[in-house]
Amino acid sequence: MTLKKLITLILILFSLLSLCACKQGEAEQTTETVPETSAELTEPAAPTELVFIEDGKTGFTVIRSETAQGYYLDTAAVVNKKLKSQLCPDIKITDDWLNPREPMPENVPELLLFETNREESKKALADLDVEGYMIRVTDCKIVIVGTSPAACNEALYCFFGRLIPEHTKDGRIAFPIGLEIKEEFKASDFDIGQALREGKELCADFEVIFNYRGKDGFSTAQGAATDGKYAYVVMKKKEDNVETDRVVKIDMETLQIVLESKEMPLDHANDMTYDPVKKRLVVVNMLNNLISIIDPETLELVEQKTPAYGTWGVGYIDGAEQYAFLAYGSPSGLVITDSNFDPIRSSKLADTTGYIGQGMDADAKYAYVPLSPDSGARDNIIQIFDIKTGEYLGKVSVKTSMESESMFHIGDDHYLHFNSQGSKIATLEFYIRFE
């Protein structure tokens, strides 16, 4: 082989080797893949339950409103005590106060009782489009709200009596996130007589909606009544041991005074009621057995009657054209009369030790007899009687030292009249004390 041919062969072989090396490198580049990240392959699932209590311990705090009063304040304390004694000794309660410079505790485990400043409470109340209650579980909150004390009680009975037992296993209580219970419960469905017959402890919250301090010396509040549109209150003045009175007429929608009477001889005027059939106001004077009749339109004294018995309280029985009187003499006690004040039947009143008798109210089912505190008592009470039988059913506690004077109602809404810096009219909400 000549030298020229040998050189040519070597060049051909070198070219072939270079081509193979190049193709091999290209294959490695085109077949290389990038593995998926571990985060994409193992992303954790969202929790499906909210652990409330485990091994007798909890990360939750019971939260109530900083401004809670009456039912809402007392009941929050009872709920915390119940949880502490029955389920978790280390659970604590506090109010919803926050430093304005601090953010809302969105991811902190909390049991929110009733209306609070937390967004979860606000949203639950906004979503509660019926009269009743709601229980809702979010990713870190248990929310309990209601439209009245009676409805809130129903929510708590549901929470303690149904939800906790249903979601407890081996000492561990966990609720499904997203759990929501919304139930209708009208305050008017709550029957105080039935509750008292069952031996329940009853209370009533109140809210003052009207305050008239009086004028011209008429500054002591006495009897009160309503015709459904207007309220009427008696203001008393006492000079030289003689009591005279003025009747004040209030629009219950606007809570504005629309008329004031001239001075009238109604004496102590301990109570008053409205007769919707004869369209008249009936006042018990508490002097010489007098009963005074007043025109509700003009607030003028029409006439005075003198039955054989004395009275200090009066209520009109809805739909019966009858009156209920608190009476002394003969007859005495709770006395039911016809529309002419002639007695039909009577029954005994209940013991009033520690309290001072005031006026009363009546409807188709019950007589309501408020008594103000005396001899160290710290509350007012309202004694409840069956209007048909006269049976004493029990009492309702109203936590205030103000002097109650009388009661009246519009439909299912009850009002309590106080003598405290003049006349105070307050709404009432009856409820069973939660235990």
Side-chain angles (χ1 to χ4, degrees):
M1 180 181 296
T2 64
L3 180 60
K4 184 177 180 180
K5 288 182 179 180
L6 180 60
I7 292 171
T8 302
L9 180 60
I10 292 171
L11 290 172
I12 292 170
L13 291 173
F14 182 81
S15 298
L16 290 172
L17 289 172
S18 298
L19 180 62
C20 290
C22 184
K23 290 183 177 292
Q24 184 176 0
E26 290 175 358
E28 289 176 356
Q29 291 176 3
T30 56
T31 58
E32 183 179 0
T33 59
V34 179
E36 295 181 351
T37 64
S38 59
E40 292 174 334
L41 294 175
T42 61
E43 183 177 351
T48 60
E49 63 178 10
L50 180 62
V51 178
F52 180 43
I53 294 174
E54 189 168 17
D55 297 328
K57 297 181 180 181
T58 185
F60 277 76
T61 302
V62 178
I63 302 293
R64 61 163 176 81
S65 171
E66 181 188 9
T67 59
Q69 296 180 354
Y71 167 84
Y72 301 99
L73 180 64
D74 294 343
T75 305
V78 172
V79 168
N80 188 66
K81 183 178 180 181
K82 192 178 182 75
L83 290 170
K84 188 182 290 288
S85 63
Q86 297 182 6
L87 299 172
C88 183
D90 68 343
I91 198 163
K92 294 179 175 59
I93 185 171
T94 187
D95 60 50
D96 61 0
W97 182 88
L98 293 171
N99 188 321
R101 293 172 293 182
E102 295 179 358
M104 196 68 70
E106 296 180 355
N107 299 315
V108 178
E110 294 177 327
L111 172 58
L112 305 178
L113 289 180
F114 321 130
E115 184 175 1
T116 75
N117 63 7
R118 305 301 198 252
E119 292 302 320
E120 292 85 354
S121 298
K122 295 176 183 178
K123 190 173 189 315
L125 282 168
D127 293 342
L128 186 54
D129 52 1
V130 297
E131 186 178 350
Y133 68 86
M134 178 184 287
I135 301 173
R136 175 180 283 170
V137 178
T138 73
D139 56 355
C140 62
K141 311 286 186 187
I142 301 170
V143 187
I144 300 176
V145 296
T147 56
S148 67
C152 288
N153 265 1
E154 291 300 310
L156 293 173
Y157 294 140
C158 177
F159 181 68
F160 281 97
R162 172 185 158 191
L163 293 185
I164 287 180
E166 283 182 358
H167 299 284
T168 299
K169 185 176 181 180
D170 299 328
R172 181 176 185 268
I173 304 174
F175 302 108
I177 293 174
L179 172 69
E180 181 175 298
I181 296 175
K182 180 169 68 173
E183 294 288 345
E184 185 173 4
F185 186 86
K186 296 181 179 179
S188 58
D189 293 338
F190 172 54
D191 190 315
I192 61 173
Q194 179 182 343
L196 288 170
R197 287 187 175 98
E198 293 172 354
K200 306 294 187 181
E201 183 180 351
L202 262 64
C203 302
D205 266 358
F206 70 94
E207 180 182 358
V208 175
I209 59 172
F210 173 82
N211 185 197
Y212 171 73
R213 293 180 177 270
K215 63 182 181 181
D216 304 328
F218 296 95
S219 58
T220 303
Q222 295 296 137
T226 186
D227 59 12
K229 182 177 181 180
Y230 300 101
Y232 304 85
V233 300
V234 180
M235 302 298 296
K236 185 186 72 174
K237 177 173 71 174
K238 188 173 183 179
E239 293 181 348
D240 299 327
N241 213 33
V242 176
E243 297 175 317
T244 57
D245 310 87
R246 172 180 284 168
V247 178
V248 179
K249 184 175 183 178
I250 304 118
D251 187 311
M252 285 298 289
E253 182 176 354
T254 65
L255 297 175
Q256 299 297 310
I257 294 171
V258 296
L259 187 62
E260 295 177 84
S261 76
K262 62 183 181 181
E263 187 171 354
M264 290 188 285
L266 304 179
D267 306 307
H268 196 71
N270 202 63
D271 202 14
M272 174 168 56
T273 195
Y274 176 75
D275 183 334
V277 176
K278 295 191 174 183
K279 300 187 184 307
R280 62 185 185 178
L281 292 166
V282 177
V283 179
V284 293
N285 287 40
M286 274 190 68
L287 179 68
N288 299 328
N289 293 10
L290 284 171
I291 293 176
S292 297
I293 309 300
I294 296 173
D295 184 333
E297 292 292 329
T298 64
L299 299 187
E300 293 180 351
L301 180 61
V302 176
E303 63 176 321
Q304 291 183 317
K305 295 179 175 291
T306 310
Y309 51 90
T311 63
W312 74 91
V314 60
Y316 184 85
I317 302 174
D318 291 348
E321 295 189 42
Q322 295 176 345
Y323 294 94
F325 285 99
L326 303 176
Y328 56 90
S330 183
S332 63
L334 179 62
V335 177
I336 308 303
T337 77
D338 61 20
S339 60
N340 295 315
F341 312 127
D342 294 324
I344 298 172
R345 63 184 182 275
S346 65
S347 55
K348 290 183 179 181
L349 293 174
D351 178 59
T352 61
T353 301
Y355 298 90
I356 300 173
Q358 300 292 347
M360 69 174 299
D361 187 27
D363 57 26
K365 296 175 70 174
Y366 305 115
Y368 308 81
V369 181
L371 296 96
S372 57
D374 187 29
S375 303
R378 296 184 178 182
D379 64 345
N380 284 247
I381 61 171
I382 302 170
Q383 294 181 332
I384 309 296
F385 298 82
D386 186 302
I387 200 67
K388 291 183 172 59
T389 66
E391 176 191 5
Y392 173 60
L393 302 178
K395 64 185 174 88
V396 179
S397 174
V398 184
K399 289 189 176 181
T400 179
S401 60
M402 291 193 299
E403 181 186 19
S404 63
E405 290 294 335
S406 187
M407 283 182 63
F408 59 85
H409 67 280
I410 300 175
D412 294 318
D413 297 326
H414 294 270
Y415 299 84
L416 189 56
H417 185 224
F418 291 101
N419 173 42
S420 176
Q421 296 179 322
S423 164
K424 281 188 171 78
I425 297 175
T427 57
L428 277 180
E429 285 190 287
F430 295 104
Y431 64 90
I432 299 170
R433 187 176 186 275
F434 181 75
E435 295 180 348

